[in-house]
Amino acid sequence: MKTVSKRQWFFIHLQCFLVGSLVESSPLSSTTHFLSVTSKVGNQAVLPCSWKQRLGAAAPPACHIQWTTPADTVFEQRGEEKWQAEEFEGRVEVPEEKLGSGDCSLIITDVQIGDTGRYESFMVVDGVRSTKTRVFIQSVKLSVFDHKSLQSRGQGGDLVLDLYTRHSMRVVFQGRNSSEWSDVWMRGDKNSERLQKHLLNEQLAIKMLKSSDEGTYKVLDQNGLAVSTVQLSVEDSTALKITQTLENQVPTDDAAKSSCSALLIFSVLSFQILHLL
């Protein structure tokens, strides 16, 4: 039988210790519940995290935080050293001034549909014999939704489409009685008489609307996912003005009650005068 040296025994025990540490810090063995966060494309999402729930009140000598998804590491920070995944570059942070007091929440700006998923946070702490151990802190499910709206404009008017994010790359259109989608605008297109992209704001103006512009507009990101959906109806300008005029002439409840009261008083007085005559 082959004997095992003391050095081999040391490495075997070390491996067992590390495996045990990883199992103990695994979210599967944690009783911490899942949190749910919802947001819309282009907005900011905050994924809550507090390491004091797992590590106690005493702050680690150097806060080393990791945020991961099942597929990859999203963000990592140790002191002034920071790392971000390419698809999150410039969009994620854990405020350093809050980290020392226990707040390890991940802030994601300009959220995208593709950011939807489960995120897990870990603190990396010193173990025995200068080893590092990952301690599971929190699991958060992020759901990102597109924007939806119904809008009505008169012929000859303008429709301003919010693009919401610099990641919006394309606008497509489907006519009211059509099943086909056609391109309206692509990022990088030059402004025209009818289509004008705002120089600073993420907005696209469609000018001089016609009845044929009635239908559905979708703003898509670089992956073809919907950023927003706008259902547009285009009304005849004359009919729209008449509708607006009638709406403005409809009396309020108080005005209607006052008119009815005045009519009743006039009727009573008229009856009494006739009776006296």
Side-chain angles (χ1 to χ4, degrees):
M1 179 181 295
K2 186 177 180 181
T3 59
V4 180
S5 65
K6 291 183 178 180
R7 185 176 180 180
Q8 290 175 320
W9 272 115
F10 170 77
F11 281 111
I12 291 174
H13 282 291
L14 179 60
Q15 289 175 347
C16 291
F17 171 79
L18 292 176
V19 171
S21 298
L22 290 174
V23 171
E24 291 177 358
S25 64
S26 169
L28 297 177
S29 62
S30 172
T31 58
T32 304
H33 63 282
F34 285 83
L35 296 178
S36 294
V37 174
T38 60
S39 185
K40 287 191 175 182
V41 179
N43 293 344
Q44 181 186 90
V46 179
L47 310 189
C49 172
S50 176
W51 56 258
K52 286 188 175 181
Q53 297 177 359
R54 299 282 290 170
L55 300 178
C63 289
H64 185 170
I65 181 71
Q66 289 181 343
W67 276 93
T68 69
T69 64
D72 201 0
T73 299
V74 171
F75 178 83
E76 188 167 356
Q77 177 173 319
R78 184 181 186 275
E80 296 181 355
E81 299 178 5
K82 298 179 182 179
W83 182 89
Q84 305 171 18
E86 182 178 355
E87 61 270 30
F88 290 91
E89 189 71 33
R91 298 196 296 119
V92 288
E93 68 167 334
V94 174
E96 191 174 349
E97 65 274 11
K98 296 182 179 181
L99 186 56
S101 61
D103 188 352
C104 48
S105 301
L106 181 69
I107 300 176
I108 307 178
T109 57
D110 194 16
V111 294
Q112 304 298 305
I113 293 290
D115 296 339
T116 296
R118 191 183 72 186
Y119 295 75
E120 293 178 344
S121 58
F122 299 85
M123 285 290 287
V124 181
V125 297
D126 293 331
V128 296
R129 301 181 185 275
S130 300
T131 60
K132 298 291 184 180
T133 302
R134 288 202 321 163
V135 179
F136 171 74
I137 305 297
Q138 184 65 63
S139 184
V140 182
K141 181 182 179 182
L142 173 64
S143 299
V144 183
F145 300 98
D146 62 324
H147 302 260
K148 290 182 172 62
S149 66
L150 298 174
Q151 299 195 36
S152 178
R153 297 289 187 276
Q155 291 185 17
D158 299 340
L159 171 67
V160 177
L161 285 176
D162 285 312
L163 303 178
Y164 294 104
T165 169
R166 58 185 175 85
H167 296 283
S168 295
M169 294 295 167
R170 183 181 172 198
V171 175
V172 296
F173 168 72
Q174 184 184 63
R176 183 181 60 177
N177 299 318
S178 174
S179 59
E180 301 293 329
W181 290 93
S182 59
D183 288 330
V184 173
W185 173 85
M186 295 281 289
R187 186 170 291 274
D189 287 351
K190 293 182 179 180
N191 287 347
S192 64
E193 186 178 2
R194 293 200 64 211
L195 290 173
Q196 297 181 10
K197 166 71 171 63
H198 195 282
L199 290 175
L200 300 177
N201 299 336
E202 291 298 333
Q203 291 180 328
L204 178 70
I206 304 176
K207 296 182 170 295
M208 299 176 288
L209 291 172
K210 302 174 290 186
S211 58
S212 58
D213 294 324
E214 187 171 82
T216 303
Y217 293 82
K218 280 185 178 291
V219 179
L220 307 177
D221 65 11
Q222 66 270 32
N223 297 315
L225 301 175
V227 171
S228 71
T229 302
V230 175
Q231 187 75 36
L232 174 68
S233 62
V234 179
E235 301 182 14
D236 180 78
S237 55
T238 303
L240 185 62
K241 288 181 179 179
I242 293 175
T243 301
Q244 291 175 342
T245 302
L246 291 175
E247 288 177 351
N248 293 333
Q249 290 179 349
V250 173
T252 61
D253 291 342
D254 292 339
K257 290 178 181 178
S258 299
S259 299
C260 291
S261 299
L263 182 62
L264 179 62
I265 293 173
F266 177 76
S267 300
V268 172
L269 290 175
S270 299
F271 176 77
Q272 290 179 346
I273 292 172
L274 291 173
H275 183 70
L276 289 175
L277 293 175

